[in-house]
PDB file of all heavy atoms in Angstrom:
ATOM      1  N   ASP A   1     177.378 186.364 137.391  1.00 89.00           N
ATOM      2  CA  ASP A   1     178.196 187.036 138.538  1.00 89.00           C
ATOM      3  C   ASP A   1     179.726 186.983 138.221  1.00 89.00           C
ATOM      4  O   ASP A   1     180.556 187.768 138.608  1.00 89.00           O
ATOM      5  CB  ASP A   1     177.949 186.555 139.941  1.00 89.00           C
ATOM      6  CG  ASP A   1     176.609 186.896 140.437  1.00 89.00           C
ATOM      7  OD1 ASP A   1     175.871 187.835 139.679  1.00 89.00           O
ATOM      8  OD2 ASP A   1     176.006 186.337 141.346  1.00 89.00           O
ATOM      9  N   ILE A   2     180.159 185.856 137.488  1.00 90.00           N
ATOM     10  CA  ILE A   2     181.499 185.671 137.328  1.00 90.00           C
ATOM     11  C   ILE A   2     182.122 186.201 136.035  1.00 90.00           C
ATOM     12  O   ILE A   2     183.244 186.065 135.773  1.00 90.00           O
ATOM     13  CB  ILE A   2     181.778 184.042 137.418  1.00 90.00           C
ATOM     14  CG1 ILE A   2     183.457 183.845 137.704  1.00 90.00           C
ATOM     15  CG2 ILE A   2     181.481 183.281 136.138  1.00 90.00           C
ATOM     16  CD1 ILE A   2     183.721 182.371 138.084  1.00 90.00           C
ATOM     17  N   LEU A   3     181.166 186.590 135.179  1.00 93.00           N
ATOM     18  CA  LEU A   3     181.650 187.065 133.865  1.00 93.00           C
ATOM     19  C   LEU A   3     182.640 188.283 133.962  1.00 93.00           C
ATOM     20  O   LEU A   3     183.589 188.405 133.195  1.00 93.00           O
ATOM     21  CB  LEU A   3     180.383 187.371 133.021  1.00 93.00           C
ATOM     22  CG  LEU A   3     179.511 186.334 132.602  1.00 93.00           C
ATOM     23  CD1 LEU A   3     178.376 186.817 131.684  1.00 93.00           C
ATOM     24  CD2 LEU A   3     180.214 185.190 131.905  1.00 93.00           C
ATOM     25  N   SER A   4     182.299 189.139 134.849  1.00 91.00           N
ATOM     26  CA  SER A   4     183.225 190.350 134.956  1.00 91.00           C
ATOM     27  C   SER A   4     184.641 189.896 135.325  1.00 91.00           C
ATOM     28  O   SER A   4     185.579 190.614 135.031  1.00 91.00           O
ATOM     29  CB  SER A   4     182.582 191.288 136.077  1.00 91.00           C
ATOM     30  OG  SER A   4     182.596 190.727 137.231  1.00 91.00           O
ATOM     31  N   PHE A   5     184.767 188.830 136.023  1.00 91.00           N
ATOM     32  CA  PHE A   5     186.086 188.242 136.408  1.00 91.00           C
ATOM     33  C   PHE A   5     186.917 187.887 135.125  1.00 91.00           C
ATOM     34  O   PHE A   5     188.076 188.210 135.034  1.00 91.00           O
ATOM     35  CB  PHE A   5     185.998 187.048 137.352  1.00 91.00           C
ATOM     36  CG  PHE A   5     187.276 186.290 137.444  1.00 91.00           C
ATOM     37  CD1 PHE A   5     188.249 186.695 138.230  1.00 91.00           C
ATOM     38  CD2 PHE A   5     187.348 185.042 136.895  1.00 91.00           C
ATOM     39  CE1 PHE A   5     189.522 186.062 138.313  1.00 91.00           C
ATOM     40  CE2 PHE A   5     188.536 184.307 136.925  1.00 91.00           C
ATOM     41  CZ  PHE A   5     189.521 184.781 137.766  1.00 91.00           C
ATOM     42  N   PHE A   6     186.339 187.310 134.188  1.00 93.00           N
ATOM     43  CA  PHE A   6     186.983 186.968 132.983  1.00 93.00           C
ATOM     44  C   PHE A   6     187.368 188.047 132.218  1.00 93.00           C
ATOM     45  O   PHE A   6     188.403 188.162 131.609  1.00 93.00           O
ATOM     46  CB  PHE A   6     186.017 185.947 132.059  1.00 93.00           C
ATOM     47  CG  PHE A   6     185.772 184.698 132.700  1.00 93.00           C
ATOM     48  CD1 PHE A   6     184.596 184.247 132.968  1.00 93.00           C
ATOM     49  CD2 PHE A   6     186.844 183.807 132.816  1.00 93.00           C
ATOM     50  CE1 PHE A   6     184.342 182.982 133.549  1.00 93.00           C
ATOM     51  CE2 PHE A   6     186.648 182.528 133.300  1.00 93.00           C
ATOM     52  CZ  PHE A   6     185.457 182.097 133.620  1.00 93.00           C
ATOM     53  N   SER A   7     186.592 189.184 132.342  1.00 91.00           N
ATOM     54  CA  SER A   7     186.923 190.470 131.686  1.00 91.00           C
ATOM     55  C   SER A   7     188.198 191.146 132.366  1.00 91.00           C
ATOM     56  O   SER A   7     189.167 191.575 131.497  1.00 91.00           O
ATOM     57  CB  SER A   7     185.797 191.425 131.699  1.00 91.00           C
ATOM     58  OG  SER A   7     186.048 192.613 131.183  1.00 91.00           O
ATOM     59  N   SER A   8     188.180 191.248 133.650  1.00 89.00           N
ATOM     60  CA  SER A   8     189.148 191.921 134.351  1.00 89.00           C
ATOM     61  C   SER A   8     190.448 191.094 134.410  1.00 89.00           C
ATOM     62  O   SER A   8     191.664 191.579 134.252  1.00 89.00           O
ATOM     63  CB  SER A   8     188.821 192.310 135.745  1.00 89.00           C
ATOM     64  OG  SER A   8     188.433 191.168 136.457  1.00 89.00           O
ATOM     65  N   ALA A   9     190.325 189.732 134.670  1.00 88.00           N
ATOM     66  CA  ALA A   9     191.521 188.892 134.846  1.00 88.00           C
ATOM     67  C   ALA A   9     192.135 188.395 133.560  1.00 88.00           C
ATOM     68  O   ALA A   9     193.295 188.282 133.437  1.00 88.00           O
ATOM     69  CB  ALA A   9     191.187 187.733 135.766  1.00 88.00           C
ATOM     70  N   PHE A  10     191.293 188.177 132.556  1.00 90.00           N
ATOM     71  CA  PHE A  10     191.838 187.578 131.320  1.00 90.00           C
ATOM     72  C   PHE A  10     191.703 188.427 130.134  1.00 90.00           C
ATOM     73  O   PHE A  10     192.134 188.083 129.076  1.00 90.00           O
ATOM     74  CB  PHE A  10     191.126 186.228 131.050  1.00 90.00           C
ATOM     75  CG  PHE A  10     191.326 185.170 132.057  1.00 90.00           C
ATOM     76  CD1 PHE A  10     190.586 184.949 133.145  1.00 90.00           C
ATOM     77  CD2 PHE A  10     192.480 184.233 131.839  1.00 90.00           C
ATOM     78  CE1 PHE A  10     190.914 183.968 134.204  1.00 90.00           C
ATOM     79  CE2 PHE A  10     192.819 183.241 132.828  1.00 90.00           C
ATOM     80  CZ  PHE A  10     191.897 183.254 133.875  1.00 90.00           C
ATOM     81  N   GLY A  11     190.969 189.689 130.317  1.00 89.00           N
ATOM     82  CA  GLY A  11     190.885 190.556 129.244  1.00 89.00           C
ATOM     83  C   GLY A  11     189.837 190.062 128.069  1.00 89.00           C
ATOM     84  O   GLY A  11     189.934 190.416 126.911  1.00 89.00           O
ATOM     85  N   VAL A  12     188.906 189.225 128.449  1.00 93.00           N
ATOM     86  CA  VAL A  12     187.997 188.795 127.508  1.00 93.00           C
ATOM     87  C   VAL A  12     186.894 189.905 127.118  1.00 93.00           C
ATOM     88  O   VAL A  12     186.451 190.631 127.941  1.00 93.00           O
ATOM     89  CB  VAL A  12     187.143 187.548 128.128  1.00 93.00           C
ATOM     90  CG1 VAL A  12     185.918 187.178 127.083  1.00 93.00           C
ATOM     91  CG2 VAL A  12     188.004 186.435 128.393  1.00 93.00           C
ATOM     92  N   LYS A  13     186.797 190.084 125.885  1.00 94.00           N
ATOM     93  CA  LYS A  13     185.960 191.207 125.281  1.00 94.00           C
ATOM     94  C   LYS A  13     184.509 190.921 125.657  1.00 94.00           C
ATOM     95  O   LYS A  13     184.122 189.720 125.595  1.00 94.00           O
ATOM     96  CB  LYS A  13     186.262 191.471 123.955  1.00 94.00           C
ATOM     97  CG  LYS A  13     185.989 190.377 123.027  1.00 94.00           C
ATOM     98  CD  LYS A  13     186.666 190.430 121.639  1.00 94.00           C
ATOM     99  CE  LYS A  13     186.734 189.180 120.777  1.00 94.00           C
ATOM    100  NZ  LYS A  13     187.603 189.365 119.568  1.00 94.00           N
ATOM    101  N   ALA A  14     183.788 191.953 125.834  1.00 94.00           N
ATOM    102  CA  ALA A  14     182.379 191.735 126.079  1.00 94.00           C
ATOM    103  C   ALA A  14     181.535 191.253 125.042  1.00 94.00           C
ATOM    104  O   ALA A  14     180.676 190.417 125.214  1.00 94.00           O
ATOM    105  CB  ALA A  14     181.807 193.060 126.760  1.00 94.00           C
ATOM    106  N   ASN A  15     181.769 191.709 123.829  1.00 94.00           N
ATOM    107  CA  ASN A  15     180.974 191.356 122.678  1.00 94.00           C
ATOM    108  C   ASN A  15     181.915 191.133 121.478  1.00 94.00           C
ATOM    109  O   ASN A  15     183.134 191.635 121.497  1.00 94.00           O
ATOM    110  CB  ASN A  15     179.972 192.527 122.331  1.00 94.00           C
ATOM    111  CG  ASN A  15     179.038 192.795 123.552  1.00 94.00           C
ATOM    112  OD1 ASN A  15     178.090 191.990 123.610  1.00 94.00           O
ATOM    113  ND2 ASN A  15     179.082 193.978 124.113  1.00 94.00           N
ATOM    114  N   PRO A  16     181.515 190.512 120.431  1.00 95.00           N
ATOM    115  CA  PRO A  16     182.364 190.273 119.182  1.00 95.00           C
ATOM    116  C   PRO A  16     182.714 191.728 118.716  1.00 95.00           C
ATOM    117  O   PRO A  16     181.936 192.603 118.612  1.00 95.00           O
ATOM    118  CB  PRO A  16     181.466 189.571 118.207  1.00 95.00           C
ATOM    119  CG  PRO A  16     180.502 188.855 119.159  1.00 95.00           C
ATOM    120  CD  PRO A  16     180.156 189.755 120.323  1.00 95.00           C
ATOM    121  N   SER A  17     184.001 191.749 118.123  1.00 94.00           N
ATOM    122  CA  SER A  17     184.567 193.013 117.641  1.00 94.00           C
ATOM    123  C   SER A  17     184.281 192.990 116.064  1.00 94.00           C
ATOM    124  O   SER A  17     183.838 192.196 115.517  1.00 94.00           O
ATOM    125  CB  SER A  17     186.049 193.105 117.948  1.00 94.00           C
ATOM    126  OG  SER A  17     186.672 192.003 117.245  1.00 94.00           O
ATOM    127  N   LEU A  18     184.641 194.270 115.608  1.00 95.00           N
ATOM    128  CA  LEU A  18     184.581 194.333 114.128  1.00 95.00           C
ATOM    129  C   LEU A  18     185.342 193.394 113.401  1.00 95.00           C
ATOM    130  O   LEU A  18     184.971 192.779 112.379  1.00 95.00           O
ATOM    131  CB  LEU A  18     185.084 195.877 113.691  1.00 95.00           C
ATOM    132  CG  LEU A  18     185.159 196.126 112.196  1.00 95.00           C
ATOM    133  CD1 LEU A  18     183.765 195.970 111.602  1.00 95.00           C
ATOM    134  CD2 LEU A  18     185.718 197.539 111.957  1.00 95.00           C
ATOM    135  N   ASP A  19     186.550 192.851 113.867  1.00 94.00           N
ATOM    136  CA  ASP A  19     187.318 191.930 113.154  1.00 94.00           C
ATOM    137  C   ASP A  19     186.546 190.611 113.184  1.00 94.00           C
ATOM    138  O   ASP A  19     186.668 189.800 112.250  1.00 94.00           O
ATOM    139  CB  ASP A  19     188.655 191.846 113.954  1.00 94.00           C
ATOM    140  CG  ASP A  19     189.598 193.055 113.745  1.00 94.00           C
ATOM    141  OD1 ASP A  19     190.135 193.094 112.615  1.00 94.00           O
ATOM    142  OD2 ASP A  19     189.712 193.881 114.695  1.00 94.00           O
ATOM    143  N   ASP A  20     185.955 190.344 114.379  1.00 94.00           N
ATOM    144  CA  ASP A  20     185.132 189.084 114.396  1.00 94.00           C
ATOM    145  C   ASP A  20     184.131 189.002 113.363  1.00 94.00           C
ATOM    146  O   ASP A  20     183.831 188.032 112.788  1.00 94.00           O
ATOM    147  CB  ASP A  20     184.626 188.913 115.764  1.00 94.00           C
ATOM    148  CG  ASP A  20     185.611 188.794 116.900  1.00 94.00           C
ATOM    149  OD1 ASP A  20     186.611 188.042 116.665  1.00 94.00           O
ATOM    150  OD2 ASP A  20     185.420 189.194 118.007  1.00 94.00           O
ATOM    151  N   TYR A  21     183.327 190.235 113.337  1.00 95.00           N
ATOM    152  CA  TYR A  21     182.325 190.267 112.261  1.00 95.00           C
ATOM    153  C   TYR A  21     182.928 190.028 110.807  1.00 95.00           C
ATOM    154  O   TYR A  21     182.205 189.450 109.917  1.00 95.00           O
ATOM    155  CB  TYR A  21     181.637 191.628 112.334  1.00 95.00           C
ATOM    156  CG  TYR A  21     180.476 191.613 113.353  1.00 95.00           C
ATOM    157  CD1 TYR A  21     180.625 191.841 114.677  1.00 95.00           C
ATOM    158  CD2 TYR A  21     179.223 191.329 113.002  1.00 95.00           C
ATOM    159  CE1 TYR A  21     179.630 191.837 115.587  1.00 95.00           C
ATOM    160  CE2 TYR A  21     178.097 191.350 113.842  1.00 95.00           C
ATOM    161  CZ  TYR A  21     178.386 191.651 115.270  1.00 95.00           C
ATOM    162  OH  TYR A  21     177.405 191.574 116.234  1.00 95.00           O
ATOM    163  N   CYS A  22     184.002 190.588 110.608  1.00 94.00           N
ATOM    164  CA  CYS A  22     184.607 190.404 109.166  1.00 94.00           C
ATOM    165  C   CYS A  22     185.060 188.911 108.974  1.00 94.00           C
ATOM    166  O   CYS A  22     184.759 188.414 107.860  1.00 94.00           O
ATOM    167  CB  CYS A  22     185.914 191.388 109.096  1.00 94.00           C
ATOM    168  SG  CYS A  22     185.455 193.075 108.770  1.00 94.00           S
ATOM    169  N   LYS A  23     185.535 188.300 110.045  1.00 94.00           N
ATOM    170  CA  LYS A  23     185.938 186.945 109.851  1.00 94.00           C
ATOM    171  C   LYS A  23     184.657 186.035 109.648  1.00 94.00           C
ATOM    172  O   LYS A  23     184.627 185.037 108.897  1.00 94.00           O
ATOM    173  CB  LYS A  23     186.602 186.447 111.119  1.00 94.00           C
ATOM    174  CG  LYS A  23     187.982 186.965 111.265  1.00 94.00           C
ATOM    175  CD  LYS A  23     188.548 186.501 112.681  1.00 94.00           C
ATOM    176  CE  LYS A  23     190.022 187.149 112.777  1.00 94.00           C
ATOM    177  NZ  LYS A  23     190.558 186.908 114.167  1.00 94.00           N
ATOM    178  N   LEU A  24     183.513 186.406 110.306  1.00 94.00           N
ATOM    179  CA  LEU A  24     182.228 185.813 110.126  1.00 94.00           C
ATOM    180  C   LEU A  24     181.832 185.936 108.676  1.00 94.00           C
ATOM    181  O   LEU A  24     181.294 184.912 108.128  1.00 94.00           O
ATOM    182  CB  LEU A  24     181.249 186.345 111.056  1.00 94.00           C
ATOM    183  CG  LEU A  24     179.817 185.756 111.023  1.00 94.00           C
ATOM    184  CD1 LEU A  24     179.851 184.149 111.339  1.00 94.00           C
ATOM    185  CD2 LEU A  24     178.895 186.493 111.917  1.00 94.00           C
ATOM    186  N   TRP A  25     181.913 187.133 108.182  1.00 94.00           N
ATOM    187  CA  TRP A  25     181.498 187.284 106.783  1.00 94.00           C
ATOM    188  C   TRP A  25     182.204 186.433 105.803  1.00 94.00           C
ATOM    189  O   TRP A  25     181.694 185.934 104.903  1.00 94.00           O
ATOM    190  CB  TRP A  25     181.569 188.795 106.410  1.00 94.00           C
ATOM    191  CG  TRP A  25     180.817 189.119 105.182  1.00 94.00           C
ATOM    192  CD1 TRP A  25     181.433 189.229 103.930  1.00 94.00           C
ATOM    193  CD2 TRP A  25     179.456 189.387 105.066  1.00 94.00           C
ATOM    194  NE1 TRP A  25     180.537 189.600 103.008  1.00 94.00           N
ATOM    195  CE2 TRP A  25     179.190 189.586 103.562  1.00 94.00           C
ATOM    196  CE3 TRP A  25     178.258 189.502 105.834  1.00 94.00           C
ATOM    197  CZ2 TRP A  25     178.005 189.963 103.192  1.00 94.00           C
ATOM    198  CZ3 TRP A  25     177.118 189.693 105.319  1.00 94.00           C
ATOM    199  CH2 TRP A  25     176.950 190.004 103.991  1.00 94.00           C
ATOM    200  N   LYS A  26     183.553 186.376 106.045  1.00 94.00           N
ATOM    201  CA  LYS A  26     184.446 185.532 105.241  1.00 94.00           C
ATOM    202  C   LYS A  26     183.962 184.148 105.218  1.00 94.00           C
ATOM    203  O   LYS A  26     184.039 183.454 104.234  1.00 94.00           O
ATOM    204  CB  LYS A  26     185.979 185.740 105.553  1.00 94.00           C
ATOM    205  CG  LYS A  26     186.470 187.118 105.389  1.00 94.00           C
ATOM    206  CD  LYS A  26     186.390 187.586 103.962  1.00 94.00           C
ATOM    207  CE  LYS A  26     187.319 186.698 103.061  1.00 94.00           C
ATOM    208  NZ  LYS A  26     187.363 187.284 101.756  1.00 94.00           N
ATOM    209  N   ILE A  27     183.662 183.636 106.343  1.00 93.00           N
ATOM    210  CA  ILE A  27     183.154 182.143 106.594  1.00 93.00           C
ATOM    211  C   ILE A  27     181.838 182.091 105.731  1.00 93.00           C
ATOM    212  O   ILE A  27     181.598 181.086 104.967  1.00 93.00           O
ATOM    213  CB  ILE A  27     182.906 181.864 108.090  1.00 93.00           C
ATOM    214  CG1 ILE A  27     184.169 181.810 108.670  1.00 93.00           C
ATOM    215  CG2 ILE A  27     182.092 180.581 108.113  1.00 93.00           C
ATOM    216  CD1 ILE A  27     184.112 181.639 110.213  1.00 93.00           C
ATOM    217  N   TRP A  28     181.007 183.060 105.833  1.00 93.00           N
ATOM    218  CA  TRP A  28     179.714 183.097 105.078  1.00 93.00           C
ATOM    219  C   TRP A  28     180.106 183.081 103.521  1.00 93.00           C
ATOM    220  O   TRP A  28     179.369 182.487 102.792  1.00 93.00           O
ATOM    221  CB  TRP A  28     178.878 184.217 105.354  1.00 93.00           C
ATOM    222  CG  TRP A  28     178.201 184.142 106.832  1.00 93.00           C
ATOM    223  CD1 TRP A  28     178.079 182.990 107.537  1.00 93.00           C
ATOM    224  CD2 TRP A  28     177.484 185.102 107.443  1.00 93.00           C
ATOM    225  NE1 TRP A  28     177.371 183.236 108.643  1.00 93.00           N
ATOM    226  CE2 TRP A  28     177.035 184.587 108.666  1.00 93.00           C
ATOM    227  CE3 TRP A  28     177.246 186.478 107.229  1.00 93.00           C
ATOM    228  CZ2 TRP A  28     176.306 185.236 109.602  1.00 93.00           C
ATOM    229  CZ3 TRP A  28     176.450 187.228 108.168  1.00 93.00           C
ATOM    230  CH2 TRP A  28     176.091 186.634 109.258  1.00 93.00           C
ATOM    231  N   GLU A  29     180.961 183.891 103.205  1.00 92.00           N
ATOM    232  CA  GLU A  29     181.363 183.926 101.669  1.00 92.00           C
ATOM    233  C   GLU A  29     181.860 182.613 101.199  1.00 92.00           C
ATOM    234  O   GLU A  29     181.570 182.042 100.107  1.00 92.00           O
ATOM    235  CB  GLU A  29     182.502 184.990 101.517  1.00 92.00           C
ATOM    236  CG  GLU A  29     182.060 186.429 101.581  1.00 92.00           C
ATOM    237  CD  GLU A  29     183.108 187.343 101.183  1.00 92.00           C
ATOM    238  OE1 GLU A  29     184.318 186.969 100.870  1.00 92.00           O
ATOM    239  OE2 GLU A  29     182.910 188.631 101.253  1.00 92.00           O
ATOM    240  N   ASP A  30     182.757 181.983 102.050  1.00 91.00           N
ATOM    241  CA  ASP A  30     183.326 180.725 101.606  1.00 91.00           C
ATOM    242  C   ASP A  30     182.372 179.674 101.572  1.00 91.00           C
ATOM    243  O   ASP A  30     182.458 178.507 100.933  1.00 91.00           O
ATOM    244  CB  ASP A  30     184.516 180.417 102.410  1.00 91.00           C
ATOM    245  CG  ASP A  30     185.704 181.365 102.366  1.00 91.00           C
ATOM    246  OD1 ASP A  30     185.648 182.009 101.268  1.00 91.00           O
ATOM    247  OD2 ASP A  30     186.481 181.488 103.348  1.00 91.00           O
ATOM    248  N   SER A  31     181.233 179.721 102.458  1.00 88.00           N
ATOM    249  CA  SER A  31     180.301 178.538 102.604  1.00 88.00           C
ATOM    250  C   SER A  31     179.258 178.392 101.372  1.00 88.00           C
ATOM    251  O   SER A  31     178.721 177.372 101.060  1.00 88.00           O
ATOM    252  CB  SER A  31     179.415 178.719 103.855  1.00 88.00           C
ATOM    253  OG  SER A  31     178.595 179.803 103.754  1.00 88.00           O
ATOM    254  N   ASN A  32     179.211 179.547 100.597  1.00 81.00           N
ATOM    255  CA  ASN A  32     178.189 179.609  99.474  1.00 81.00           C
ATOM    256  C   ASN A  32     176.887 179.248  99.826  1.00 81.00           C
ATOM    257  O   ASN A  32     176.053 178.687  98.984  1.00 81.00           O
ATOM    258  CB  ASN A  32     178.711 178.732  98.307  1.00 81.00           C
ATOM    259  CG  ASN A  32     180.010 179.200  97.675  1.00 81.00           C
ATOM    260  OD1 ASN A  32     180.159 180.413  97.495  1.00 81.00           O
ATOM    261  ND2 ASN A  32     180.902 178.427  97.343  1.00 81.00           N
ATOM    262  N   ARG A  33     176.482 179.458 101.018  1.00 82.00           N
ATOM    263  CA  ARG A  33     175.141 179.049 101.423  1.00 82.00           C
ATOM    264  C   ARG A  33     174.083 180.287 101.491  1.00 82.00           C
ATOM    265  O   ARG A  33     174.780 181.499 101.569  1.00 82.00           O
ATOM    266  CB  ARG A  33     175.040 178.522 102.853  1.00 82.00           C
ATOM    267  CG  ARG A  33     175.465 179.334 104.071  1.00 82.00           C
ATOM    268  CD  ARG A  33     175.389 178.678 105.272  1.00 82.00           C
ATOM    269  NE  ARG A  33     175.707 179.686 106.503  1.00 82.00           N
ATOM    270  CZ  ARG A  33     174.820 180.386 107.148  1.00 82.00           C
ATOM    271  NH1 ARG A  33     173.560 180.317 106.751  1.00 82.00           N
ATOM    272  NH2 ARG A  33     175.199 181.187 108.081  1.00 82.00           N
ATOM    273  N   GLU A  34     172.868 180.156 101.459  1.00 86.00           N
ATOM    274  CA  GLU A  34     171.953 181.290 101.647  1.00 86.00           C
ATOM    275  C   GLU A  34     172.009 181.768 102.964  1.00 86.00           C
ATOM    276  O   GLU A  34     171.950 181.003 103.897  1.00 86.00           O
ATOM    277  CB  GLU A  34     170.657 180.758 101.153  1.00 86.00           C
ATOM    278  CG  GLU A  34     170.403 180.520  99.598  1.00 86.00           C
ATOM    279  CD  GLU A  34     169.060 180.231  99.235  1.00 86.00           C
ATOM    280  OE1 GLU A  34     168.086 180.359 100.067  1.00 86.00           O
ATOM    281  OE2 GLU A  34     168.879 179.907  98.065  1.00 86.00           O
ATOM    282  N   LEU A  35     171.914 183.026 103.165  1.00 89.00           N
ATOM    283  CA  LEU A  35     171.768 183.601 104.458  1.00 89.00           C
ATOM    284  C   LEU A  35     170.315 184.070 104.698  1.00 89.00           C
ATOM    285  O   LEU A  35     169.610 184.310 103.771  1.00 89.00           O
ATOM    286  CB  LEU A  35     172.786 184.893 104.523  1.00 89.00           C
ATOM    287  CG  LEU A  35     174.227 184.735 104.347  1.00 89.00           C
ATOM    288  CD1 LEU A  35     174.805 186.106 104.445  1.00 89.00           C
ATOM    289  CD2 LEU A  35     174.852 183.739 105.252  1.00 89.00           C
ATOM    290  N   SER A  36     169.936 184.021 105.917  1.00 89.00           N
ATOM    291  CA  SER A  36     168.553 184.496 106.299  1.00 89.00           C
ATOM    292  C   SER A  36     168.599 186.027 106.328  1.00 89.00           C
ATOM    293  O   SER A  36     169.644 186.686 106.579  1.00 89.00           O
ATOM    294  CB  SER A  36     168.164 183.973 107.683  1.00 89.00           C
ATOM    295  OG  SER A  36     168.973 184.461 108.659  1.00 89.00           O
ATOM    296  N   ASN A  37     167.340 186.612 106.184  1.00 88.00           N
ATOM    297  CA  ASN A  37     167.322 188.098 106.440  1.00 88.00           C
ATOM    298  C   ASN A  37     167.699 188.485 107.808  1.00 88.00           C
ATOM    299  O   ASN A  37     168.369 189.542 107.913  1.00 88.00           O
ATOM    300  CB  ASN A  37     165.728 188.369 106.221  1.00 88.00           C
ATOM    301  CG  ASN A  37     165.595 189.854 105.980  1.00 88.00           C
ATOM    302  OD1 ASN A  37     166.228 190.428 105.070  1.00 88.00           O
ATOM    303  ND2 ASN A  37     164.806 190.510 106.806  1.00 88.00           N
ATOM    304  N   ALA A  38     167.456 187.665 108.764  1.00 89.00           N
ATOM    305  CA  ALA A  38     167.813 187.990 110.198  1.00 89.00           C
ATOM    306  C   ALA A  38     169.462 188.070 110.352  1.00 89.00           C
ATOM    307  O   ALA A  38     169.968 188.943 110.949  1.00 89.00           O
ATOM    308  CB  ALA A  38     167.442 186.942 111.154  1.00 89.00           C
ATOM    309  N   ASP A  39     170.135 187.102 109.533  1.00 91.00           N
ATOM    310  CA  ASP A  39     171.551 187.193 109.597  1.00 91.00           C
ATOM    311  C   ASP A  39     172.146 188.478 109.030  1.00 91.00           C
ATOM    312  O   ASP A  39     173.194 189.170 109.619  1.00 91.00           O
ATOM    313  CB  ASP A  39     172.271 185.973 108.703  1.00 91.00           C
ATOM    314  CG  ASP A  39     172.133 184.613 109.510  1.00 91.00           C
ATOM    315  OD1 ASP A  39     172.101 184.717 110.768  1.00 91.00           O
ATOM    316  OD2 ASP A  39     172.179 183.720 108.774  1.00 91.00           O
TER     317      ASP A  39
END
């Protein structure tokens, strides 16, 4: 019930953005670890 307050009052995005996904991929690149098929 309080999540919508964080969106309206603080501008918190509902879901990760494209930029977030790109940053995540860069972290995966730098980690040199195997990714799962699910990832």
